[in-house]
Amino acid sequence: MKKGRVTIIDIARELSIAPSTVSRALKDHPALKKETKDAVRALAKKLDYQPNLLALNLLQKKSNTIGVIVPEITSHFFSAIITGIQDVIGDSEYNIMICLSNESYEEEAVIIKKLLKIQVDGVLVSPTSETKNFDHFRTLQKNDIPVVVFDRDCPGLEADKVLVDDYAGAFQAVEYLIKSGCTKIAHLGGPLNLSTTKHRLQGYLDALENADIPIRKEYIEHVPGFSHDDGLKPAERLLKLEDLPDAIFAMNDNIAISAMHIARKMALKIPDDISIVGFDDEPHSSYFRPSLSTVWQPVYSLGMLSARIILHRLNDKGPQKNFRQEVFKPELVLRASSRECASRKNDKVKL
Amino acid sequence: MKKGRVTIIDIARELSIAPSTVSRALKDHPALKKETKDAVRALAKKLDYQPNLLALNLLQKKSNTIGVIVPEITSHFFSAIITGIQDVIGDSEYNIMICLSNESYEEEAVIIKKLLKIQVDGVLVSPTSETKNFDHFRTLQKNDIPVVVFDRDCPGLEADKVLVDDYAGAFQAVEYLIKSGCTKIAHLGGPLNLSTTKHRLQGYLDALENADIPIRKEYIEHVPGFSHDDGLKPAERLLKLEDLPDAIFAMNDNIAISAMHIARKMALKIPDDISIVGFDDEPHSSYFRPSLSTVWQPVYSLGMLSARIILHRLNDKGPQKNFRQEVFKPELVLRASSRECASRKNDKVKL
DNA sequence: TTGTACGCGTTATCAT
DNA sequence: ATGATAACGCGTACAA
């Protein structure tokens, strides 16, 4: 006969006790007779009682939801991070709400407002490539909503951060190219505003400088976005230079693949004429021909750690301080798109 | 001085009127003096009043949330669908909650319980490859939660459905292979339980039968999952047969890539010795060498339509009936991994 | 050991 | 035109 779902009031009425007693029984309150507890629990199970989270949310002024803001999910990179986040938060009391900013600062700002509106308890965010101002994240913090930044840094923002040592990854990659005999190494960088772009560029520059190789401006191009298509024109510019590069270190695998595509079109042999190294180690990268050398990032772990950190913040209340900054080490994965290096011939080569 | 956020009570007190009046003013109730309306609105703006959705949720017994259940998001296929869903629902009053079932029936069932608990208003779902029983979806429906099934069908379940004509896609692909001169066409199918697997298999079978080509059992293999690695062994089995196939129609692009990989290892020329056709048209598929012929699916539209349908259901209450079944047409995309076909030489070829 | 009463923020219904 | 009150479901301080 009852229309809606059963409530503690229904149970109370049935048992001729007070709703508060039912509430206490369900929460295993110490000062309760075993009998009543058992009776309540039995009936609750029988009636398939489900606590109304909506009521709890209002009472506790929290939504039990964690917002996750990412620029996109169609790349393996972010979708793997999200999978890591899910796997950690799925076991907790929290729900996660994934929001796509589409690499647009404006959309990101709108999302923040929405998350504020629904009273999220915490936010995990990887900012867009347009984001230079972080005040919208600070707004969250002022509302006592902890923020964890992952992968893409927000310089100057005080928050927990889970990053990747892009500098080291780039340095390692370029250093390897140099050791393998390349001297004219070009770089296909990402959108300039991004911390990852900057750090990878710096790693590239320092590796060259470290080997006393002069830096040539015309060997550095920046792509407008992260898809294959975004890489075509910049790659073409590099490969149309009079003094052809003998190696390209690309911002990510997609761009590296674009470069490979252009190189092949121009009948260049990879890696004999030109070595190509990417970044990200997307699952299909090892299936290209030649298989793509790249820099692997611990994406899944990155997602999991970010999630754990925010859960921790949410559990131990109090003022937000002592922010953590965790930095994962990426790993160079050598495959067939880069020349072999005499001094490292004995290294294991992942295939 | 106020600790929490401003409420209509704060506004009411400040203006010495009743909270209900404030509520009405904010909702533009017709029977209200312009003066009071304006005063309320002005103060609301000044105080940056934000309605407390948590309270509304309790009152309306709904969470304003739509659950989206997908097996995974690391493939471009599902992540693009989700992007479509987001783009539609983002403009509405609803939030979306993405849940990953990891191709596990058990996890799927757990997710349903969770969504029930948080009182989602509707659910979009693409079932796992293990899911044979749909009672958990029916449970949602019994709780007046509309369900929209997308991409992967749930035979026997009465619900709105947004599908792809996998049969036609497969038929077309295999028909093309036949026209291009292949006679020994093998199939790398997906997990057998899946509707998409069944329909693509049937399309394959019918296309052969239609051309009076006998069906050979040893030419049909099924992969356990959808990743590259899952395709390696089945592909190897096919290519170790004494009577080698001269074409492979694969369940998806990943598997097709695996087959290409194995074929190359065995020094087979593609497409001269063997044609390979995939399904999905992942963004990187055109960058392989040879570029992969495949079947394109309107993933983004599929996501958008699914979202629109559930929004429509949510708006127009009433008993759930007259379920819609929308079927998108996939498109064969010819590239370099399949032989050219004399009779279709004039067709445009997407690259 | 258990019941009573109130509050969380909002809206709808009934008064006025 | 607007105020008062109840209700959504639960937890908890206080009372008994």
Side-chain angles (χ1 to χ4, degrees):
Chain A
M1 269 316 97
K2 48 193 155 40
K3 279 211 98 174
R5 34 166 66 198
V6 295
T7 73
I8 54 171
I9 303 184
D10 297 327
I11 297 182
R13 202 159 25 211
E14 190 107 356
L15 261 42
S16 302
I17 56 179
S20 54
T21 306
V22 177
S23 170
R24 282 185 277 244
L26 260 17
K27 295 202 69 185
D28 205 15
H29 192 98
L32 264 196
K33 252 198 314 197
K34 215 177 297 179
E35 294 172 44
T36 38
K37 270 192 198 177
D38 291 343
V40 167
R41 285 182 188 162
L43 189 56
K45 192 152 290 174
K46 183 183 156 205
L47 263 42
D48 189 31
Y49 165 76
Q50 303 280 21
N52 187 329
L53 298 185
L54 267 31
L56 274 188
N57 288 347
L58 174 57
L59 202 57
Q60 300 164 185
K61 294 187 183 187
K62 49 181 284 200
S63 61
N64 281 301
T65 298
I66 294 171
V68 180
I69 311 176
V70 286
E72 46 95 9
I73 53 168
T74 58
S75 75
H76 183 269
F77 182 80
F78 282 113
S79 57
I81 290 181
I82 286 177
T83 304
I85 293 174
Q86 272 275 17
D87 287 354
V88 167
I89 297 194
D91 295 332
S92 78
E93 61 195 292
Y94 291 94
N95 306 307
I96 85 178
M97 179 153 300
I98 293 160
C99 308
L100 308 179
S101 60
N102 292 320
E103 297 281 9
S104 153
Y105 171 73
E106 212 174 313
E107 290 192 45
E108 187 176 77
V110 170
I111 289 170
I112 297 280
K113 280 190 189 149
K114 192 170 184 180
L115 293 180
L116 227 27
K117 227 178 158 181
I118 67 170
Q119 273 136 295
V120 283
D121 300 321
V123 171
L124 294 170
V125 62
S126 204
T128 79
S129 49
E130 293 178 1
T131 306
K132 297 173 193 177
N133 183 306
F134 310 122
D135 286 344
H136 48 326
F137 300 145
R138 293 197 181 91
T139 305
L140 290 171
Q141 296 175 323
K142 276 175 201 148
N143 284 63
D144 270 320
I145 300 172
V147 173
V148 175
V149 174
F150 64 90
D151 184 53
R152 301 176 172 185
D153 194 11
C154 300
L157 179 72
E158 292 195 32
D160 293 309
K161 297 177 177 178
V162 182
L163 307 172
V164 172
D165 193 342
D166 290 293
Y167 175 86
F171 190 96
Q172 227 183 315
V174 176
E175 190 183 37
Y176 178 83
L177 287 170
I178 296 170
K179 279 191 188 158
S180 76
C182 299
T183 55
K184 299 184 288 183
I185 303 172
H187 178 46
L188 282 169
L192 263 168
N193 184 50
L194 226 45
S195 71
T196 50
T197 297
K198 287 180 192 158
H199 296 151
R200 289 175 201 178
L201 173 60
Q202 199 56 50
Y204 160 82
L205 294 173
D206 286 5
L208 290 184
E209 201 178 309
N210 190 53
D212 288 320
I213 298 179
I215 284 146
R216 299 170 58 166
K217 256 199 159 175
E218 69 272 24
Y219 276 1
I220 302 176
E221 287 279 349
H222 286 275
V223 301
F226 301 103
S227 73
H228 294 102
D229 293 349
D230 289 317
L232 292 175
K233 278 183 190 167
E236 210 168 351
R237 282 199 292 273
L238 286 182
L239 296 179
K240 275 190 175 164
L241 290 175
E242 273 199 33
D243 195 3
L244 217 61
D246 58 9
I248 293 180
F249 167 56
M251 174 70 182
N252 68 18
D253 282 7
N254 280 353
I255 306 297
I257 298 298
S258 305
M260 270 180 53
H261 187 74
I262 301 287
R264 270 200 305 250
K265 257 194 179 172
M266 305 180 65
L268 295 172
K269 295 215 168 175
I270 306 169
D272 303 322
D273 296 330
I274 187 163
S275 285
I276 294 182
V277 176
F279 214 106
D280 282 356
D281 194 23
E282 301 252 347
H284 51 265
S285 294
S286 65
Y287 284 88
F288 274 92
R289 181 205 180 101
S291 58
L292 183 67
S293 293
T294 186
V295 179
W296 172 84
Q297 304 187 67
V299 278
Y300 184 73
S301 307
L302 199 156
M304 291 208 300
L305 182 58
S306 307
R308 288 212 188 88
I309 289 180
I310 199 136
L311 285 183
H312 195 263
R313 277 273 171 222
L314 291 173
N315 283 339
D316 103 330
K317 313 285 181 186
Q320 294 174 41
K321 53 180 179 181
N322 298 328
F323 294 111
R324 288 172 67 177
Q325 170 145 345
E326 307 288 337
V327 180
F328 280 97
K329 287 287 171 199
E331 259 176 44
L332 183 59
V333 180
L334 295 174
R335 298 206 184 91
S337 68
S338 55
R339 284 189 242 166
E340 263 188 66
C341 171
S343 67
R344 289 185 59 158
K345 250 184 185 150
N346 293 327
D347 285 15
K348 60 180 174 184
V349 173
K350 275 195 195 177
L351 208 98
Chain B
M1 269 317 96
K2 47 197 156 32
K3 278 210 97 173
R5 32 165 69 198
V6 289
T7 72
I8 52 171
I9 302 184
D10 298 327
I11 299 182
R13 201 158 26 207
E14 190 108 354
L15 261 43
S16 303
I17 56 178
S20 52
T21 306
V22 176
S23 171
R24 279 186 280 243
L26 261 17
K27 295 201 70 184
D28 205 15
H29 191 99
L32 264 196
K33 252 199 313 197
K34 218 175 292 181
E35 294 172 43
T36 38
K37 269 191 199 177
D38 290 343
V40 167
R41 283 181 190 164
L43 189 57
K45 193 153 290 174
K46 182 184 157 206
L47 264 42
D48 189 31
Y49 165 76
Q50 303 279 20
N52 188 327
L53 298 184
L54 268 29
L56 274 189
N57 289 346
L58 174 58
L59 201 57
Q60 299 165 185
K61 294 188 184 187
K62 49 180 285 201
S63 61
N64 281 301
T65 298
I66 293 171
V68 180
I69 310 175
V70 286
E72 45 95 9
I73 53 167
T74 58
S75 75
H76 183 268
F77 182 79
F78 282 113
S79 56
I81 290 180
I82 285 177
T83 303
I85 292 173
Q86 273 274 20
D87 287 354
V88 168
I89 297 193
D91 296 332
S92 78
E93 61 194 291
Y94 291 94
N95 306 307
I96 84 176
M97 178 154 300
I98 294 160
C99 308
L100 308 179
S101 60
N102 293 319
E103 296 282 9
S104 152
Y105 170 72
E106 212 174 312
E107 290 191 46
E108 187 175 77
V110 170
I111 289 171
I112 298 280
K113 279 189 189 152
K114 193 170 183 178
L115 293 180
L116 227 27
K117 229 177 158 181
I118 66 170
Q119 272 134 296
V120 283
D121 300 322
V123 170
L124 294 170
V125 61
S126 203
T128 79
S129 50
E130 293 178 2
T131 307
K132 297 173 192 177
N133 182 305
F134 310 121
D135 286 344
H136 48 326
F137 301 144
R138 294 197 181 90
T139 305
L140 289 171
Q141 296 176 321
K142 276 175 200 148
N143 283 63
D144 271 320
I145 299 171
V147 173
V148 175
V149 174
F150 64 91
D151 184 53
R152 300 176 173 185
D153 194 11
C154 299
L157 180 71
E158 292 195 32
D160 292 310
K161 295 176 179 179
V162 182
L163 308 172
V164 172
D165 193 342
D166 292 292
Y167 175 87
F171 189 96
Q172 228 183 315
V174 176
E175 190 183 37
Y176 178 84
L177 287 170
I178 296 169
K179 278 188 190 161
S180 75
C182 300
T183 55
K184 300 184 288 184
I185 303 171
H187 178 46
L188 282 169
L192 263 167
N193 185 51
L194 227 45
S195 71
T196 51
T197 298
K198 287 180 193 158
H199 296 150
R200 291 176 199 176
L201 174 60
Q202 198 58 49
Y204 160 83
L205 294 172
D206 285 6
L208 291 184
E209 201 177 309
N210 189 53
D212 288 322
I213 298 179
I215 284 145
R216 299 169 59 165
K217 255 197 161 177
E218 69 273 24
Y219 277 0
I220 302 177
E221 288 280 347
H222 286 274
V223 301
F226 301 102
S227 75
H228 294 103
D229 293 349
D230 289 318
L232 292 174
K233 278 183 190 167
E236 210 168 352
R237 282 199 292 274
L238 285 181
L239 295 179
K240 276 191 175 163
L241 290 174
E242 272 197 36
D243 196 2
L244 217 60
D246 58 9
I248 293 180
F249 167 57
M251 174 68 182
N252 68 17
D253 282 8
N254 280 354
I255 306 298
I257 299 298
S258 306
M260 270 180 53
H261 187 75
I262 300 288
R264 271 200 304 250
K265 258 196 179 169
M266 304 180 65
L268 294 173
K269 296 214 167 176
I270 306 169
D272 303 322
D273 296 331
I274 187 163
S275 286
I276 294 182
V277 176
F279 215 107
D280 281 356
D281 194 22
E282 301 252 348
H284 51 266
S285 294
S286 65
Y287 285 87
F288 274 91
R289 180 206 181 100
S291 57
L292 183 67
S293 293
T294 186
V295 180
W296 172 83
Q297 304 187 67
V299 278
Y300 185 73
S301 307
L302 198 156
M304 291 208 301
L305 182 57
S306 306
R308 290 212 187 88
I309 289 180
I310 198 133
L311 285 183
H312 194 262
R313 278 275 171 220
L314 291 172
N315 283 336
D316 107 326
K317 314 284 180 187
Q320 295 174 39
K321 54 180 178 181
N322 298 329
F323 294 111
R324 289 172 67 176
Q325 170 144 345
E326 306 289 337
V327 180
F328 281 98
K329 287 287 172 198
E331 259 177 43
L332 183 59
V333 179
L334 296 174
R335 298 206 184 92
S337 68
S338 54
R339 285 188 242 167
E340 265 188 65
C341 169
S343 67
R344 289 185 59 158
K345 251 185 187 151
N346 294 328
D347 285 14
K348 60 179 173 187
V349 173
K350 274 195 196 178
L351 206 98

